[in-house]
Amino acid sequence: MGTFTDRYLVEPGEKVRLADFDPRDTKPFGGDKDEGRARVAKLNARLEELQEALYAEGRHRLLVVLQGMDSSGKDGTIRSVFDGVNPQGVKVACFKKPTPPELAHDFLWRVHPHTPACGEIAIWNRSHYEDVLITRVHELVNETCWKRRYEHIRAFEALLADEGTTILKFFLHIGKDEQRQRLQERIDDPKKRWKWNKADLEERRHFDDYRAAYEDALSATAAEHAPWYVVPADRNWYRDLVISEVLVATLEKLDIRLPPGDPGIEDLKVT
Amino acid sequence: MGTFTDRYLVEPGEKVRLADFDPRDTKPFGGDKDEGRARVAKLNARLEELQEALYAEGRHRLLVVLQGMDSSGKDGTIRSVFDGVNPQGVKVACFKKPTPPELAHDFLWRVHPHTPACGEIAIWNRSHYEDVLITRVHELVNETCWKRRYEHIRAFEALLADEGTTILKFFLHIGKDEQRQRLQERIDDPKKRWKWNKADLEERRHFDDYRAAYEDALSATAAEHAPWYVVPADRNWYRDLVISEVLVATLEKLDIRLPPGDPGIEDLKVT
């Protein structure tokens, strides 16, 4: 029994071509923006319940990886999709330019401490994938190194999965023209100007290189236990909808149950 | 060009039989205890130089894993072999019974933060190997799980090696009768009584199970980039000697060079 989000799932072994995915896609949902937003609100309420149960049960762990080019909406996703979720039990880790101590270790060293514990959801805003993306595009490491890292990523995610972590990876797929508009807004709109970073323009020059790097990374690391979704991200409401649908469906499948109270507690009288 | 320590190296792919290794062995060195101790002192002085250069150069990283049954001399090794080495740049991590937060994550989560940074030597007193040893012997995890963990260990150590870490793993091989004497001393000698732990007796009952678990773990995880040495450990001086020889030989091979000063610094006058 599939849902409309299945079409965004990368099959393990599949060679991803991003040109096959329309970043403006919204049709598969079958509703308009208002209907989409209403559906996201419903999913959000369900997500709150499921997260509370996950936390109370303390058995499952969920890792959500968010990747995407500048302005693709990673921050917005966290704000909208996880709106109102109990922050105790949901940890967000944001991976920016590595610090000298981070660079002095292997590339998984800085992410490993941020994996979710039992009962937790960890959301990674960027991740270990940067080490096969920006490092590749800017030739900070050679090809032998970034290719070898695919294998290390697969092994690392297999470790997490084998030891009990559910993994979901979302690539926020934005079109080149949409990115242009969003960056322009950060210049034109005084309220968005705080987001402006002149490095974004330089990164934008490498747009096609990043797409190629993403295609390879997604193809090399999509696994049944660590799936990638290519999320159409030109429309914020649709991006939130797709991610919320996948999250809720995944948590529902975990069959989380609130732990039973102590036996006999129903007869207890507090005096 | 081999040294007498080569005979203690586990060949990758070799099926280790601990019965083939004599824990009382000292002959290959060709000298007696006094000569051995004198040699350790010389190696220790060289180790200090090499570690200083490693730290100053800040390029290589060395991970030393110490495993062995109770009273096999892990603490003693750290005290003797690394005596006088600059503690800045040498970090010892001791892995005891996992805490609840550690148990709430995958088994490599607690060790990964303790890997060495560039310029550092990290010494692990017990390690991630406990998760295929004590957990197996006491059936804390099932066979599928501990067997799968060999693969995760191999992948993890390959990650460290690929990204620049030199790894040395020492199994301190103690005989069953020597262990009996050492544990008895902890009861009889008031100065050693602080080391006594009644759990050691219970563990001793599983001596043969531990040997079997070690044989499998060593066989499954000996790699060129992460070698295991089976160190005869009934004689403390010989144990220290073997480990010091391997350490110094390994560091010599790294071809560590002190970084040159700034160009022109030789003409600089401090006024």
Side-chain angles (χ1 to χ4, degrees):
Chain A
M1 192 202 70
T3 78
F4 74 93
T5 60
D6 287 353
R7 72 185 61 211
Y8 306 122
L9 178 67
V10 177
E11 291 297 325
E14 179 187 340
K15 178 78 197 79
V16 176
R17 289 183 56 230
L18 288 176
D20 296 342
F21 294 89
D22 178 7
R24 307 185 89 75
D25 195 17
T26 64
K27 277 187 228 80
F29 167 53
D32 64 11
K33 179 174 173 177
D34 288 344
E35 289 165 304
R37 284 269 167 239
R39 174 83 185 139
V40 168
K42 270 185 114 158
L43 289 166
N44 181 263
R46 182 68 187 129
L47 181 64
E48 280 186 47
E49 287 170 5
L50 286 163
Q51 186 271 325
E52 194 188 326
L54 184 95
Y55 185 75
E57 189 195 37
R59 191 161 62 94
H60 297 283
R61 320 156 180 170
L62 177 65
L63 171 61
V64 179
V65 173
L66 295 177
Q67 282 288 158
M69 291 199 230
D70 294 325
S71 83
S72 61
K74 298 179 291 295
D75 302 283
T77 298
I78 297 171
R79 219 168 32 240
S80 318
V81 172
F82 291 92
D83 181 42
V85 168
N86 186 350
Q88 180 159 310
V90 180
K91 310 185 299 187
V92 179
C94 191
F95 297 100
K96 298 189 187 283
K97 192 178 167 185
T99 63
E102 289 170 350
L103 285 171
H105 291 87
D106 68 86
F107 79 105
L108 296 173
W109 182 83
R110 71 169 180 158
V111 299
H112 206 159
H114 299 280
T115 51
C118 293
E120 287 183 347
I121 297 177
I123 304 163
W124 289 0
N125 185 341
R126 302 188 187 270
S127 67
H128 48 310
Y129 283 95
E130 291 299 324
D131 289 292
V132 293
L133 294 165
I134 189 167
T135 51
R136 166 179 169 176
V137 169
H138 290 286
E139 298 179 10
L140 304 175
V141 297
N142 64 27
E143 185 169 342
T144 310
C145 179
W146 58 254
K147 283 201 169 158
R148 208 164 47 189
R149 284 180 174 178
Y150 292 151
E151 200 175 321
H152 293 309
I153 289 174
R154 286 192 295 265
F156 175 63
E157 294 178 355
L159 161 74
L160 299 182
D162 274 348
E163 301 248 325
T165 301
T166 301
I167 305 173
L168 290 174
K169 302 180 291 190
F170 298 102
F171 168 62
L172 308 192
H173 181 39
I174 190 179
K176 194 166 182 182
D177 194 59
E178 179 69 21
Q179 189 191 52
R180 187 191 54 71
Q181 289 180 43
R182 291 186 185 190
L183 293 180
Q184 191 62 50
E185 269 170 38
R186 291 181 183 183
I187 297 169
D188 298 345
D189 183 346
K191 271 185 263 169
K192 291 191 174 171
R193 219 165 272 159
W194 65 275
K195 292 188 191 176
W196 171 251
N197 179 351
K198 73 173 195 281
D200 291 350
L201 271 196
E202 168 60 19
E203 288 303 90
R204 180 167 162 76
R205 281 192 204 102
H206 296 285
F207 195 91
D208 296 334
D209 299 333
Y210 272 105
R211 274 180 89 138
Y214 267 111
E215 286 180 336
D216 288 349
L218 269 59
S219 304
T221 61
E224 199 156 343
H225 59 267
W228 270 115
Y229 287 85
V230 177
V231 181
D234 275 11
R235 300 283 168 263
N236 294 349
W237 69 269
Y238 193 70
R239 171 202 75 202
D240 293 344
L241 175 64
V242 169
I243 295 174
S244 300
E245 290 279 4
V246 173
L247 270 170
V248 168
T250 303
L251 289 169
E252 300 274 14
K253 261 186 255 159
L254 291 181
D255 189 30
I256 304 159
R257 287 148 198 259
L258 281 176
D262 290 335
I265 198 172
E266 57 277 9
D267 299 326
L268 191 71
K269 289 281 171 286
V270 179
T271 55
Chain B
M1 194 200 69
T3 77
F4 74 93
T5 60
D6 287 352
R7 73 185 59 210
Y8 306 122
L9 178 66
V10 176
E11 291 298 325
E14 180 188 341
K15 178 79 198 77
V16 176
R17 289 185 56 231
L18 287 176
D20 297 342
F21 294 89
D22 178 6
R24 306 184 89 75
D25 196 16
T26 64
K27 278 187 228 81
F29 167 53
D32 64 11
K33 180 174 172 176
D34 287 345
E35 289 164 306
R37 282 269 169 239
R39 174 84 185 139
V40 169
K42 269 183 113 158
L43 289 166
N44 181 262
R46 182 68 187 131
L47 181 64
E48 280 186 46
E49 287 170 5
L50 287 163
Q51 186 269 324
E52 194 188 325
L54 184 96
Y55 184 74
E57 190 194 36
R59 191 161 61 94
H60 297 283
R61 319 154 181 174
L62 177 64
L63 172 61
V64 179
V65 173
L66 296 178
Q67 282 288 159
M69 291 198 230
D70 294 326
S71 83
S72 62
K74 299 179 290 295
D75 302 283
T77 299
I78 297 171
R79 218 166 35 240
S80 317
V81 172
F82 292 93
D83 180 41
V85 168
N86 186 350
Q88 179 159 312
V90 180
K91 311 185 300 186
V92 179
C94 191
F95 297 99
K96 298 187 187 286
K97 191 178 167 184
T99 62
E102 289 171 349
L103 285 172
H105 291 88
D106 68 86
F107 78 105
L108 295 172
W109 183 83
R110 71 169 179 158
V111 299
H112 206 160
H114 298 281
T115 51
C118 292
E120 287 183 347
I121 298 177
I123 305 163
W124 290 0
N125 186 339
R126 303 190 187 269
S127 66
H128 48 310
Y129 283 95
E130 291 298 325
D131 290 292
V132 292
L133 294 165
I134 189 166
T135 50
R136 166 179 168 177
V137 169
H138 290 285
E139 297 178 11
L140 304 175
V141 297
N142 63 27
E143 185 170 340
T144 310
C145 178
W146 57 255
K147 284 203 168 157
R148 208 164 46 189
R149 284 179 175 178
Y150 293 151
E151 200 175 322
H152 293 309
I153 289 174
R154 285 192 296 265
F156 176 61
E157 294 178 355
L159 161 73
L160 299 182
D162 274 348
E163 301 249 325
T165 301
T166 301
I167 305 172
L168 290 174
K169 301 180 291 191
F170 298 101
F171 168 62
L172 308 192
H173 180 40
I174 191 179
K176 195 166 181 181
D177 194 57
E178 178 68 21
Q179 189 192 52
R180 187 191 52 73
Q181 290 181 44
R182 292 186 184 189
L183 293 180
Q184 190 62 51
E185 268 171 39
R186 291 183 181 180
I187 296 170
D188 298 345
D189 183 347
K191 271 186 262 172
K192 292 191 173 171
R193 218 163 273 158
W194 65 274
K195 292 187 192 178
W196 172 252
N197 180 351
K198 75 174 195 285
D200 292 350
L201 271 196
E202 166 61 19
E203 288 304 89
R204 182 168 162 76
R205 281 191 206 103
H206 296 285
F207 195 91
D208 295 333
D209 299 333
Y210 272 106
R211 273 179 90 139
Y214 267 111
E215 286 179 336
D216 288 349
L218 270 57
S219 305
T221 61
E224 200 157 343
H225 59 265
W228 271 114
Y229 287 85
V230 177
V231 181
D234 275 11
R235 300 285 168 262
N236 293 349
W237 68 269
Y238 193 71
R239 171 202 75 202
D240 293 344
L241 175 64
V242 169
I243 294 175
S244 299
E245 290 278 5
V246 173
L247 271 171
V248 168
T250 302
L251 289 169
E252 299 274 16
K253 262 186 255 158
L254 291 181
D255 189 31
I256 303 159
R257 288 146 197 259
L258 282 177
D262 289 336
I265 198 172
E266 57 277 9
D267 300 325
L268 192 69
K269 292 279 170 287
V270 180
T271 53

